[in-house]
Every structure is written in C-alpha cells, then in structure tokens.
Amino acid sequence: MLKLYFCIMKTGALTVTRDGSHTLYNERAGEHYHSTFGAIQESKHIFIQAGLSAYQSVTEKLQVLEIGFGTGLNALLTLLWAEKNHQKIKYCGVEAFPLPDVVIKQLNYPELLHVDRALFEKMHQAKAPVWVSSFFEMQLLPVSFQEYEAPLNHFHVIYFDAFSPESQPEMWTEEGFLKLYKTLVPQGILVTYSCKGSVKRALKAAGFQIEKLPGPPGKREFLRAVAKK
C-alpha cells in the first residue's frame, strides 16, 4: 500500500531554500513542501513560535497533532523545543503519503539543526508510539485526514500543514475543521500557513476564533485559530 502512496505522490528533486535547508517539490500537488524562502525559518515562525510556544496552559504532557507530516521538519523542531524547555510532548503525525527512506536520508535538517540523523529517521519509522527522546514521544499514522479518527478534547496544539486549498480543497473544509475543533481541548491552538478567505470562513464556521499574524519572509500573513469552548 505504501508503494502505491509513493507512486501517487511523486516527489521531485531536493531544492535548497534561502536559509540553506531543503524542501521537496510534489508533482501531484504542484507545490513545494516548504517555503523556498527558507524551510526551517518558515516552520519555526508559524508552527513553533505562533503555535507551540503560544500555548500557555500548564500540562504535564503536551499533545500535538500534525496534519501533513511531510518531511518531518515540524516534528523535529518540536522535539528540539521539548528538549530545550524540558516539556514532555506526545506527537501524532497524520500523513497519507509517507516519504520513502531514500528521500528522507537526503534531507539536511539533522545536520543544520545538529541532531543525530538516526533519531530523525527513527521519527519517520514510528508507526507505533515510541519515545524518540526523553521528552518526545511520537507516532506517525499513514492514513488520510478523512480516515483519521480524532479523539475528543485531546490535543493542545495542531499544526495544519496540508498542501494549499487550490491543490487539496478536500482538506480545507468546514467539516474537516470541525473535526479538529472537537479534538482540541478548550483554548487549544491550531496554526496554518494559509490566510485565504475560504479558509478563514471555514474555521469560523467550525467554531474557531481566528487571528491573522505577520508571516515569515515570502509570506505576508498566516492564521492562528483558538478553540473557544
């Protein structure tokens, strides 16, 4: 089945972005996985600073969900944040089309972020929950967003990192965001790079309170949404 996924979601050659980190071009979506203005820079700005670091409530273990695990960059940055802040995190990545090992081994994030490459590759192989480090437990689910059965009132932070609404309109619906609203705890946070009008309307219809934030280089704005329950 995974071989079929690889066939459907063909990836092109690695691209070096402006901050020196890699991204990949997805032929089916017609888009890169990360900003060509800087992959690491974008992920830190949107998902770590505006999402993970913005969640203020004290909890023994933060539950983080990523829709669109992709290259694993957001997860790796989350692991580093967990280690730095001595905060235990349980991370769930949902990815219908996991990358093949041959591609994962070429990504330069471990070298740039000074992380053991074996640890990064272990994250991509975590089909069952596994403690990748003393502060970071994760599981990678090779299922579609639509197939994923989200638990109620469970996650504190969600990274919504699907391809754009133009490429994957089925991912950016009111129904999908309602599913995510229900899986967040009260005051839970969802962050996404998109600031399109249809996305804002779908998030509001699902119950989120949204705010536009200044984007990283190459992007004017992005969205943070809070589950006001």
Side-chain angles (χ1 to χ4, degrees):
M1 180 61 72
L2 293 185
K3 289 183 178 179
L4 175 60
Y5 286 158
F6 299 154
C7 178
I8 294 173
M9 296 293 283
K10 293 176 66 178
T11 55
L14 292 171
T15 298
V16 178
T17 67
R18 291 189 186 178
D19 66 5
S21 56
H22 281 149
T23 188
L24 290 166
Y25 185 77
N26 186 285
E27 294 180 10
R28 179 176 179 269
E31 297 176 357
H32 287 93
Y33 280 79
H34 305 286
S35 171
T36 56
F37 287 87
I40 288 177
Q41 178 178 252
E42 175 195 45
S43 290
K44 282 183 176 179
H45 185 101
I46 295 175
F47 299 106
I48 305 303
Q49 295 172 10
L52 186 61
S53 296
Y55 187 80
Q56 298 296 324
S57 298
V58 177
T59 181
E60 181 179 352
K61 183 187 292 186
L62 275 172
Q63 301 279 351
V64 177
L65 172 66
E66 180 174 19
I67 304 298
F69 184 81
T71 65
L73 175 56
N74 294 333
L76 185 59
L77 290 170
T78 302
L79 180 151
L80 292 173
W81 186 94
E83 295 286 344
K84 178 181 178 181
N85 292 279
H86 292 181
Q87 169 67 62
K88 287 187 177 181
I89 291 179
K90 185 169 184 179
Y91 197 97
C92 178
V94 174
E95 177 56 68
F97 310 106
L99 293 176
D101 290 343
V102 66
V103 174
I104 296 165
K105 291 179 183 297
Q106 297 179 65
L107 294 169
N108 66 0
Y109 309 140
E111 288 74 25
L112 293 179
L113 296 170
H114 309 291
V115 176
D116 185 353
R117 173 162 290 277
L119 184 149
F120 178 61
E121 294 178 5
K122 183 178 181 181
M123 294 168 68
H124 284 268
Q125 299 162 358
K127 301 303 186 291
V130 59
W131 283 97
V132 180
S133 76
S134 56
F135 287 97
F136 191 81
E137 181 186 11
M138 78 160 288
Q139 182 176 15
L140 177 57
L141 300 176
V143 298
S144 70
F145 176 38
Q146 291 75 20
E147 294 171 324
Y148 173 58
E149 297 183 5
L152 298 177
N153 296 309
H154 183 74
F155 291 101
H156 302 98
V157 179
I158 295 175
Y159 305 158
F160 194 79
D161 202 14
F163 288 111
S164 74
E166 291 78 15
S167 296
Q168 290 186 310
E170 72 281 3
M171 298 287 289
W172 302 81
T173 65
E174 178 184 338
E175 179 183 8
F177 286 131
L178 179 59
K179 180 178 182 177
L180 297 180
Y181 182 89
K182 290 179 178 179
T183 199
L184 280 169
V185 300
Q187 307 304 311
I189 292 173
L190 179 150
V191 279
T192 184
Y193 64 87
S194 180
C195 205
K196 190 175 180 181
S198 60
V199 175
K200 290 185 282 188
R201 290 190 292 274
L203 284 165
K204 287 181 179 179
F208 285 99
Q209 178 177 306
I210 66 171
E211 60 180 321
K212 294 187 292 185
L213 299 174
K219 184 159 190 64
R220 187 163 63 90
E221 296 172 324
F222 68 99
L223 291 176
R224 178 166 62 203
V226 178
K228 295 289 187 180
K229 300 183 179 182

